mmCIF file of all heavy atoms in Angstrom:
data_model
loop_
_atom_site.group_PDB
_atom_site.id
_atom_site.type_symbol
_atom_site.label_atom_id
_atom_site.label_comp_id
_atom_site.label_asym_id
_atom_site.label_seq_id
_atom_site.Cartn_x
_atom_site.Cartn_y
_atom_site.Cartn_z
ATOM 1 N N THR A 1 -65.953 120.019 89.671
ATOM 2 C CA THR A 1 -66.374 118.999 88.699
ATOM 3 C C THR A 1 -66.647 117.663 89.383
ATOM 4 O O THR A 1 -67.601 116.966 89.021
ATOM 5 C CB THR A 1 -65.298 118.811 87.603
ATOM 6 O OG1 THR A 1 -65.050 120.056 86.960
ATOM 7 C CG2 THR A 1 -65.741 117.790 86.568
ATOM 8 N N LEU A 2 -65.831 117.309 90.379
ATOM 9 C CA LEU A 2 -66.091 116.096 91.122
ATOM 10 C C LEU A 2 -67.431 116.162 91.850
ATOM 11 O O LEU A 2 -68.236 115.227 91.809
ATOM 12 C CB LEU A 2 -64.962 115.849 92.143
ATOM 13 C CG LEU A 2 -63.581 115.571 91.584
ATOM 14 C CD1 LEU A 2 -62.610 115.326 92.742
ATOM 15 C CD2 LEU A 2 -63.581 114.374 90.631
ATOM 16 N N VAL A 3 -67.678 117.287 92.511
ATOM 17 C CA VAL A 3 -68.916 117.454 93.262
ATOM 18 C C VAL A 3 -70.136 117.343 92.337
ATOM 19 O O VAL A 3 -71.120 116.685 92.686
ATOM 20 C CB VAL A 3 -68.914 118.815 93.989
ATOM 21 C CG1 VAL A 3 -70.298 119.104 94.611
ATOM 22 C CG2 VAL A 3 -67.842 118.837 95.059
ATOM 23 N N SER A 4 -70.048 117.969 91.165
ATOM 24 C CA SER A 4 -71.184 117.932 90.245
ATOM 25 C C SER A 4 -71.428 116.549 89.671
ATOM 26 O O SER A 4 -72.511 116.299 89.142
ATOM 27 C CB SER A 4 -70.975 118.955 89.118
ATOM 28 O OG SER A 4 -69.822 118.601 88.359
ATOM 29 N N ASN A 5 -70.438 115.660 89.770
ATOM 30 C CA ASN A 5 -70.613 114.296 89.291
ATOM 31 C C ASN A 5 -70.685 113.295 90.445
ATOM 32 O O ASN A 5 -70.466 112.094 90.240
ATOM 33 C CB ASN A 5 -69.467 113.914 88.360
ATOM 34 C CG ASN A 5 -69.581 114.549 86.988
ATOM 35 O OD1 ASN A 5 -70.257 114.039 86.108
ATOM 36 N ND2 ASN A 5 -68.935 115.708 86.832
ATOM 37 N N ASN A 6 -70.992 113.806 91.644
ATOM 38 C CA ASN A 6 -71.221 112.973 92.838
ATOM 39 C C ASN A 6 -69.997 112.130 93.171
ATOM 40 O O ASN A 6 -70.106 110.971 93.566
ATOM 41 C CB ASN A 6 -72.429 112.050 92.623
ATOM 42 C CG ASN A 6 -72.959 111.494 93.920
ATOM 43 O OD1 ASN A 6 -72.943 112.173 94.955
ATOM 44 N ND2 ASN A 6 -73.446 110.281 93.906
ATOM 45 N N LEU A 7 -68.816 112.762 93.038
ATOM 46 C CA LEU A 7 -67.554 112.081 93.357
ATOM 47 C C LEU A 7 -66.836 112.823 94.483
ATOM 48 O O LEU A 7 -67.072 113.986 94.730
ATOM 49 C CB LEU A 7 -66.655 112.046 92.109
ATOM 50 C CG LEU A 7 -67.176 111.282 90.881
ATOM 51 C CD1 LEU A 7 -66.276 111.496 89.710
ATOM 52 C CD2 LEU A 7 -67.317 109.806 91.204
ATOM 53 N N LYS A 8 -65.909 112.128 95.113
ATOM 54 C CA LYS A 8 -65.073 112.728 96.147
ATOM 55 C C LYS A 8 -63.616 112.316 95.940
ATOM 56 O O LYS A 8 -63.322 111.183 95.556
ATOM 57 C CB LYS A 8 -65.540 112.367 97.556
ATOM 58 C CG LYS A 8 -65.477 110.875 97.893
ATOM 59 C CD LYS A 8 -66.006 110.635 99.298
ATOM 60 C CE LYS A 8 -65.971 109.125 99.649
ATOM 61 N NZ LYS A 8 -66.530 108.864 101.005
ATOM 62 N N GLU A 9 -62.726 113.244 96.185
ATOM 63 C CA GLU A 9 -61.274 113.012 96.058
ATOM 64 C C GLU A 9 -60.796 112.241 97.305
ATOM 65 O O GLU A 9 -61.041 112.659 98.410
ATOM 66 C CB GLU A 9 -60.579 114.359 95.939
ATOM 67 C CG GLU A 9 -59.101 114.304 95.709
ATOM 68 C CD GLU A 9 -58.531 115.720 95.588
ATOM 69 O OE1 GLU A 9 -59.227 116.693 95.949
ATOM 70 O OE2 GLU A 9 -57.363 115.826 95.162
ATOM 71 N N VAL A 10 -60.074 111.127 97.078
ATOM 72 C CA VAL A 10 -59.645 110.334 98.206
ATOM 73 C C VAL A 10 -58.127 110.164 98.306
ATOM 74 O O VAL A 10 -57.600 109.889 99.370
ATOM 75 C CB VAL A 10 -60.312 108.922 98.204
ATOM 76 C CG1 VAL A 10 -61.821 109.066 98.461
ATOM 77 C CG2 VAL A 10 -60.037 108.165 96.905
ATOM 78 N N GLU A 11 -57.419 110.292 97.168
ATOM 79 C CA GLU A 11 -55.950 110.157 97.192
ATOM 80 C C GLU A 11 -55.357 111.153 96.206
ATOM 81 O O GLU A 11 -55.695 111.150 95.018
ATOM 82 C CB GLU A 11 -55.506 108.750 96.799
ATOM 83 C CG GLU A 11 -56.015 107.628 97.683
ATOM 84 C CD GLU A 11 -55.278 107.564 99.023
ATOM 85 O OE1 GLU A 11 -54.200 108.201 99.147
ATOM 86 O OE2 GLU A 11 -55.770 106.856 99.912
ATOM 87 N N VAL A 12 -54.444 112.017 96.668
ATOM 88 C CA VAL A 12 -53.690 112.898 95.780
ATOM 89 C C VAL A 12 -52.415 112.177 95.362
ATOM 90 O O VAL A 12 -51.567 111.863 96.195
ATOM 91 C CB VAL A 12 -53.348 114.225 96.480
ATOM 92 C CG1 VAL A 12 -52.492 115.087 95.560
ATOM 93 C CG2 VAL A 12 -54.622 114.979 96.883
ATOM 94 N N VAL A 13 -52.271 111.918 94.093
ATOM 95 C CA VAL A 13 -51.141 111.168 93.573
ATOM 96 C C VAL A 13 -50.004 112.074 93.131
ATOM 97 O O VAL A 13 -48.819 111.776 93.348
ATOM 98 C CB VAL A 13 -51.599 110.278 92.377
ATOM 99 C CG1 VAL A 13 -50.409 109.586 91.740
ATOM 100 C CG2 VAL A 13 -52.627 109.243 92.870
ATOM 101 N N LEU A 14 -50.330 113.213 92.529
ATOM 102 C CA LEU A 14 -49.291 114.112 92.016
ATOM 103 C C LEU A 14 -49.768 115.539 92.073
ATOM 104 O O LEU A 14 -50.863 115.864 91.654
ATOM 105 C CB LEU A 14 -49.007 113.767 90.544
ATOM 106 C CG LEU A 14 -48.041 114.700 89.800
ATOM 107 C CD1 LEU A 14 -46.632 114.568 90.318
ATOM 108 C CD2 LEU A 14 -48.101 114.452 88.284
ATOM 109 N N LYS A 15 -48.929 116.412 92.645
ATOM 110 C CA LYS A 15 -49.187 117.847 92.610
ATOM 111 C C LYS A 15 -48.430 118.411 91.396
ATOM 112 O O LYS A 15 -47.221 118.285 91.298
ATOM 113 C CB LYS A 15 -48.738 118.532 93.908
ATOM 114 C CG LYS A 15 -49.596 118.126 95.098
ATOM 115 C CD LYS A 15 -49.159 118.880 96.367
ATOM 116 C CE LYS A 15 -50.072 118.516 97.541
ATOM 117 N NZ LYS A 15 -49.667 119.215 98.804
ATOM 118 N N SER A 16 -49.186 119.007 90.512
ATOM 119 C CA SER A 16 -48.628 119.458 89.240
ATOM 120 C C SER A 16 -48.640 120.984 89.125
ATOM 121 O O SER A 16 -49.396 121.679 89.808
ATOM 122 C CB SER A 16 -49.401 118.846 88.078
ATOM 123 O OG SER A 16 -48.846 119.204 86.835
ATOM 124 N N GLU A 17 -47.779 121.462 88.265
ATOM 125 C CA GLU A 17 -47.718 122.881 87.911
ATOM 126 C C GLU A 17 -47.020 122.994 86.589
ATOM 127 O O GLU A 17 -46.498 122.024 86.045
ATOM 128 C CB GLU A 17 -46.949 123.681 88.987
ATOM 129 C CG GLU A 17 -45.507 123.260 89.125
ATOM 130 C CD GLU A 17 -44.793 124.041 90.240
ATOM 131 O OE1 GLU A 17 -44.363 125.196 89.990
ATOM 132 O OE2 GLU A 17 -44.660 123.483 91.354
ATOM 133 N N ALA A 18 -46.993 124.183 86.032
ATOM 134 C CA ALA A 18 -46.278 124.409 84.790
ATOM 135 C C ALA A 18 -44.769 124.289 85.044
ATOM 136 O O ALA A 18 -44.259 124.785 86.058
ATOM 137 C CB ALA A 18 -46.580 125.783 84.210
ATOM 138 N N VAL A 19 -44.063 123.633 84.133
ATOM 139 C CA VAL A 19 -42.603 123.533 84.240
ATOM 140 C C VAL A 19 -41.980 123.897 82.898
ATOM 141 O O VAL A 19 -42.604 123.781 81.843
ATOM 142 C CB VAL A 19 -42.188 122.091 84.626
ATOM 143 C CG1 VAL A 19 -42.622 121.778 86.033
ATOM 144 C CG2 VAL A 19 -42.711 121.062 83.645
ATOM 145 N N LEU A 20 -40.725 124.347 82.995
ATOM 146 C CA LEU A 20 -39.943 124.604 81.774
ATOM 147 C C LEU A 20 -39.057 123.402 81.541
ATOM 148 O O LEU A 20 -38.264 123.038 82.402
ATOM 149 C CB LEU A 20 -39.093 125.858 81.955
ATOM 150 C CG LEU A 20 -38.275 126.299 80.743
ATOM 151 C CD1 LEU A 20 -39.187 126.799 79.627
ATOM 152 C CD2 LEU A 20 -37.240 127.386 81.115
ATOM 153 N N ILE A 21 -39.217 122.773 80.369
ATOM 154 C CA ILE A 21 -38.419 121.590 80.055
ATOM 155 C C ILE A 21 -37.477 121.929 78.905
ATOM 156 O O ILE A 21 -37.728 122.875 78.119
ATOM 157 C CB ILE A 21 -39.281 120.375 79.658
ATOM 158 C CG1 ILE A 21 -40.133 120.695 78.412
ATOM 159 C CG2 ILE A 21 -40.173 119.985 80.829
ATOM 160 C CD1 ILE A 21 -40.914 119.478 77.885
ATOM 161 N N ALA A 22 -36.369 121.194 78.812
ATOM 162 C CA ALA A 22 -35.358 121.490 77.783
ATOM 163 C C ALA A 22 -34.892 120.208 77.143
ATOM 164 O O ALA A 22 -34.825 119.142 77.800
ATOM 165 C CB ALA A 22 -34.185 122.257 78.380
ATOM 166 N N THR A 23 -34.527 120.301 75.885
ATOM 167 C CA THR A 23 -33.926 119.164 75.185
ATOM 168 C C THR A 23 -32.527 118.899 75.763
ATOM 169 O O THR A 23 -31.839 119.846 76.174
ATOM 170 C CB THR A 23 -33.863 119.425 73.672
ATOM 171 O OG1 THR A 23 -33.366 118.269 73.009
ATOM 172 C CG2 THR A 23 -32.972 120.588 73.366
ATOM 173 N N PRO A 24 -32.060 117.669 75.818
ATOM 174 C CA PRO A 24 -30.751 117.362 76.427
ATOM 175 C C PRO A 24 -29.576 117.772 75.535
ATOM 176 O O PRO A 24 -28.435 117.680 75.960
ATOM 177 C CB PRO A 24 -30.797 115.847 76.623
ATOM 178 C CG PRO A 24 -31.803 115.347 75.630
ATOM 179 C CD PRO A 24 -32.832 116.425 75.481
ATOM 180 N N SER A 25 -29.846 118.227 74.317
ATOM 181 C CA SER A 25 -28.732 118.488 73.371
ATOM 182 C C SER A 25 -28.614 119.942 72.980
ATOM 183 O O SER A 25 -28.389 120.266 71.816
ATOM 184 C CB SER A 25 -28.914 117.624 72.098
ATOM 185 O OG SER A 25 -30.181 117.867 71.511
ATOM 186 N N LEU A 26 -28.765 120.859 73.931
ATOM 187 C CA LEU A 26 -28.652 122.281 73.641
ATOM 188 C C LEU A 26 -27.212 122.663 73.316
ATOM 189 O O LEU A 26 -26.285 122.204 73.994
ATOM 190 C CB LEU A 26 -29.128 123.107 74.841
ATOM 191 C CG LEU A 26 -30.638 123.306 75.024
ATOM 192 C CD1 LEU A 26 -30.892 124.135 76.279
ATOM 193 C CD2 LEU A 26 -31.273 123.966 73.813
ATOM 194 N N SER A 27 -27.032 123.531 72.348
ATOM 195 C CA SER A 27 -25.692 124.054 72.035
ATOM 196 C C SER A 27 -25.300 125.056 73.103
ATOM 197 O O SER A 27 -26.134 125.547 73.870
ATOM 198 C CB SER A 27 -25.734 124.726 70.667
ATOM 199 O OG SER A 27 -26.531 125.902 70.737
ATOM 200 N N GLU A 28 -24.004 125.378 73.154
ATOM 201 C CA GLU A 28 -23.508 126.334 74.150
ATOM 202 C C GLU A 28 -24.160 127.714 73.960
ATOM 203 O O GLU A 28 -24.490 128.404 74.931
ATOM 204 C CB GLU A 28 -21.979 126.461 74.051
ATOM 205 C CG GLU A 28 -21.246 125.218 74.535
ATOM 206 C CD GLU A 28 -21.580 124.884 75.983
ATOM 207 O OE1 GLU A 28 -21.638 125.819 76.817
ATOM 208 O OE2 GLU A 28 -21.797 123.698 76.275
#
């Protein structure tokens, strides 16, 4: 998508992936 819009990537700020998140108030 960057190439097709004449852009180039210069700084990677965050490497992301799917994560499992949980509420802090789970019952036992």
Side-chain angles (χ1 to χ4, degrees):
T1 302
L2 294 181
V3 172
S4 63
N5 285 275
N6 198 35
L7 298 172
K8 62 181 179 182
E9 184 179 13
V10 293
E11 300 285 346
V12 176
V13 174
L14 174 70
K15 291 183 178 180
S16 182
E17 63 182 279
V19 293
L20 183 69
I21 61 174
T23 184
S25 56
L26 280 179
S27 67
E28 290 303 316

